[in-house]
Amino acid sequence: MGKSCIKSLLLLAVCVVVAACGKEADVKTLKMAHSLDQTHPVHKAIVFMSDRLESISGGKMKIDIYPGGQLGDERELMELLQIGSLAMTKVSSSPMEGFVPAMKVFNIPYVFRDNEHFWRVLNSAEGEKLLLSGDSVNLRGLGYFDAGSRSFYTTDTPVHSPEDLKGLKIRVQQSQTALRMVQALGGSGTPISWGELYTALSQGVVDGAENNPPSFYTSKHYEVSKFYTLNEHTYVPDIVLISSYIWNHLSAQQQQWLQQAMDEAVVYERKLWAESTAEALAAVEAAGVTVIRPDKKPFMERVEPMHESYKGTELYDLIQTFKAM
């Protein structure tokens, strides 16, 4: 049986179960899919959330998890949520900007000074408002997961300052804001799919990329990229989403159980993420990668014009609100 056939059958199974779940009086089963492998801290946190939900609800609710992109990529999964054919997913906030323009704020560099500032914002009333802003397009946010800070890594050129990025082709996600960010910092942004990036780095199609330490390590990109610059230009959280259609068909008690499980999973995931970040940095250094810890001020100064370019928009007001916290 071909891969496309298997995927179609899985999708059909999900649709059938989701459609039938309203008829189950005893157990409410929510189907969740994501694109990460089962060793990833976020997947482990989702399993924790599932276990907690079953415990909190006394076995009356549970989550069935489909990891590893079995049911599609992030955009496809969000579209399944929008039509109510899938209950939940985990996505990066980067592709979310295609559905919720305000999510662009996470791809704008140096809105957040450091990790403490980042979580102060996410836990604020403004952070919660942004989380729920996808409700209007049937993508209700349940919580933020830590995905660390994104930094540059390069194959041959060490990056100590923005000037070192000049002339370098840097892979970015499919995001116009990410493209502008790299350009503002002096490089040339090149969108390439995550699955093709290792080959692109090894063959010189791009000179580098940007991501968090655990992803740099687990992707094995450190095998071909020998310089990692912890300039921490963006903090791009992962977001756990539920279909607004599914959410609105849960009882108030079921919503409370699910939200409690989510809130506990957020705390658990942040701990896992901190541990995996430390482990990843130690591992890549042991493998011969030069980890550079630059002065971030020159990078911050280079992107101020980008911040100002949003003046007169709601996004500019959001940037200023976040920076002031």
Side-chain angles (χ1 to χ4, degrees):
M1 185 180 292
K3 185 177 180 181
S4 61
C5 292
I6 294 171
K7 183 175 174 181
S8 297
L9 287 172
L10 282 168
L11 284 171
L12 179 60
V14 167
C15 293
V16 168
V17 174
V18 170
C21 68
K23 301 173 185 177
E24 293 290 337
D26 296 331
V27 180
K28 189 76 167 181
T29 301
L30 301 174
K31 295 294 177 181
M32 178 173 197
H34 63 76
S35 59
L36 301 171
D37 67 59
Q38 295 179 56
T39 65
H40 198 284
V42 167
H43 173 77
K44 293 177 181 178
I46 290 169
V47 172
F48 175 87
M49 176 172 62
S50 175
D51 292 341
R52 289 298 299 137
L53 178 61
E54 194 162 1
S55 176
I56 292 166
S57 69
K60 294 179 180 178
M61 289 187 77
K62 67 177 184 176
I63 299 172
D64 281 351
I65 306 167
Y66 293 80
Q70 294 178 57
L71 303 185
D73 61 25
E74 288 193 337
R75 186 174 186 88
E76 290 171 329
L77 295 175
M78 285 189 281
E79 289 171 350
L80 286 174
L81 259 67
Q82 287 186 304
I83 61 175
S85 293
L86 180 68
M88 299 172 66
T89 189
K90 187 291 307 174
V91 299
S92 168
S93 54
S94 288
M96 270 291 286
E97 73 176 54
F99 298 83
V100 183
M103 291 287 178
K104 288 179 182 178
V105 72
F106 292 117
N107 272 318
I108 298 171
Y110 298 111
V111 171
F112 307 103
R113 293 182 294 277
D114 51 34
N115 189 62
E116 182 183 351
H117 177 216
F118 173 67
W119 280 102
R120 187 184 313 134
V121 170
L122 294 194
N123 291 329
S124 70
E126 285 296 328
E128 183 177 2
K129 180 180 176 183
L130 183 57
L131 179 66
L132 296 175
S133 61
D135 208 11
S136 60
V137 290
N138 216 13
L139 299 170
R140 181 185 179 88
L142 283 175
Y144 296 106
F145 275 157
D146 199 350
S149 57
R150 298 177 74 93
S151 296
F152 292 113
Y153 52 90
T154 48
T155 52
D156 300 311
T157 306
V159 174
H160 295 273
S161 70
E163 285 70 30
D164 295 326
L165 287 166
K166 187 175 181 179
L168 298 186
K169 297 188 295 293
I170 304 296
R171 179 266 178 182
V172 294
Q173 294 175 292
Q174 290 283 352
S175 160
Q176 287 300 313
T177 315
L179 283 167
R180 289 191 64 201
M181 180 266 297
V182 172
Q183 184 179 16
L185 289 170
S188 175
T190 305
I192 292 176
S193 71
W194 181 247
E196 297 173 357
L197 182 51
Y198 186 100
T199 301
L201 288 164
S202 61
Q203 295 181 351
V205 175
V206 289
D207 303 299
E210 48 88 47
N211 215 317
N212 54 62
S215 294
F216 178 51
Y217 176 56
T218 58
S219 64
K220 299 188 184 298
H221 291 173
Y222 67 90
E223 294 177 348
V224 289
S225 301
K226 292 305 178 182
F227 299 97
Y228 191 29
T229 301
L230 295 177
N231 64 301
E232 300 178 323
H233 46 262
T234 51
Y235 287 82
V236 182
D238 281 342
I239 300 176
V240 175
L241 299 171
I242 185 168
S243 164
S244 297
Y245 174 81
I246 301 293
W247 174 264
N248 292 333
H249 280 76
L250 297 178
S251 68
Q253 178 65 81
Q254 289 169 331
Q255 291 176 352
Q256 182 183 333
W257 286 333
L258 181 58
Q259 191 62 61
Q260 182 182 338
M262 177 75 244
D263 294 345
E264 292 182 19
V266 167
V267 176
Y268 180 70
E269 191 273 343
R270 286 183 65 183
K271 177 177 177 292
L272 288 182
W273 189 267
E275 292 171 353
S276 66
T277 296
E279 291 166 2
L281 288 174
V284 299
E285 284 192 285
V289 172
T290 300
V291 177
I292 300 165
R293 293 171 172 82
D295 177 5
K296 292 198 285 187
K297 188 176 180 181
F299 290 91
M300 292 178 174
E301 290 172 347
R302 283 291 290 266
V303 302
E304 276 302 319
M306 184 177 174
H307 289 194
E308 292 302 308
S309 71
Y310 293 103
K311 206 160 191 174
T313 69
E314 291 182 9
L315 189 57
Y316 181 81
D317 295 338
L318 189 60
I319 292 169
Q320 299 308 311
T321 298
F322 283 4
K323 286 170 72 174
M325 285 187 186

